[in-house]
Amino acid sequence: MDKNKIKITIGLLIVIVGVFAFMNRELMKEKGYAHENAQVILKEGDLEVVLNHENIINIGQVHFTAILDTSTTDPEEHTYTGVPLKKVIEEAGLSLDKKEIVIIKGVDGYTVALSIEEVLDEENAFLAYAVDGKALKPKNRGGSGPYQLIVRKDQFSQRWCKFVVEIEVK
Ligand SMILES: Nc1nc2c(c(=O)[nH]1)N[C@H]1C(S)=C(S)[C@@H](COP(=O)(O)O)O[C@H]1N2
Ligand SMILES: [Mo]
């Protein structure tokens, strides 16, 4: 390869990396915005619906207990406040018909998948916004919120996605 070709190749690579970095930054901005404003982005194919805190509260809050068990704590029962995940999806006008999974993402990129059966179980999968009567704080204030996925029937809390910003049905 002559020097010019090498230069052009390197130049192209720099542009490509730059474009991806920019796209990623735009993506992070969108999720960061949702996180800071207590919004959740719901997706189904090309359709995107944003729910804010008022929309989520209007679904009708429920109180439920769940056992929190992390690597650093012993199992403890807590009372959470939130809404069944299924109702959040319905509130956004999305359909679970003929879908296979629901993918939940945190602002830190943490991703959890639930089967449709798990989502349809209104005693199992919840989007919580308070624990023991206190609002879940966002990440920068040391909390696990403003929204956290609670999967009551999971013995360990790996799938309890903190800082939820996106819910996609597939
Ligand atoms: N967004 C997000 N949610 C998450 C995680 C994470 O890194 N990011 N870690 C998971 C794991 S492995 C556990 S055990 C629980 C509790 O994690 P913590 O003890 O760090 O709060 O949160 C789960 N949810
Ligand atoms: Mo963990």
Side-chain angles (χ1 to χ4, degrees):
M1 248 203 278
D2 64 41
K3 276 191 180 159
N4 271 340
K5 275 193 185 153
I6 292 174
K7 279 185 193 159
I8 290 169
T9 308
I10 291 174
L12 273 176
L13 285 176
I14 291 171
V15 171
I16 292 168
V17 169
V19 168
F20 275 104
F22 178 77
M23 282 164 55
N24 190 42
R25 213 185 59 175
E26 291 302 296
L27 221 72
M28 290 309 292
K29 246 199 250 163
E30 189 188 78
K31 293 210 176 119
Y33 182 87
H35 181 65
E36 266 151 43
N37 293 281
Q39 295 179 340
V40 180
I41 304 160
L42 283 103
K43 293 188 177 178
E44 180 186 353
D46 292 334
L47 181 67
E48 269 192 34
V49 179
V50 177
L51 295 183
N52 61 28
H53 196 57
E54 200 188 337
N55 301 142
I56 290 166
I57 285 183
N58 283 345
I59 294 169
Q61 68 177 29
V62 288
H63 302 286
F64 57 94
T65 58
I67 296 161
L68 174 70
D69 189 0
T70 69
S71 49
T72 53
T73 60
D74 283 334
E76 313 163 330
E77 189 174 88
H78 291 278
T79 301
Y80 289 87
T81 306
V83 289
L85 186 64
K86 176 179 173 254
K87 291 197 174 165
V88 178
I89 294 166
E90 285 169 356
E91 180 69 20
L94 306 187
S95 163
L96 286 170
D97 200 38
K98 296 195 182 106
K99 300 295 190 306
E100 278 162 17
I101 52 169
V102 174
I103 297 164
I104 295 102
K105 286 189 185 157
V107 75
D108 58 348
Y110 195 81
T111 303
V112 168
L114 295 185
S115 69
I116 295 301
E117 291 72 42
E118 286 176 302
V119 176
L120 292 177
D121 181 352
E122 290 188 40
E123 298 294 311
N124 189 26
F126 292 87
L127 192 67
Y129 45 81
V131 62
D132 303 324
K134 283 190 220 116
L136 296 176
K137 291 188 211 124
K139 194 169 184 288
N140 62 2
R141 291 208 282 134
S144 61
Y147 302 109
Q148 181 173 14
L149 174 72
I150 304 293
V151 189
R152 289 184 72 221
K153 292 176 185 173
D154 271 11
Q155 191 191 347
F156 301 107
S157 30
Q158 285 101 314
R159 291 203 301 167
W160 294 21
C161 187
K162 302 184 276 187
F163 337 118
V164 173
V165 284
E166 190 188 291
I167 298 168
E168 181 175 13
V169 296
K170 272 194 173 175

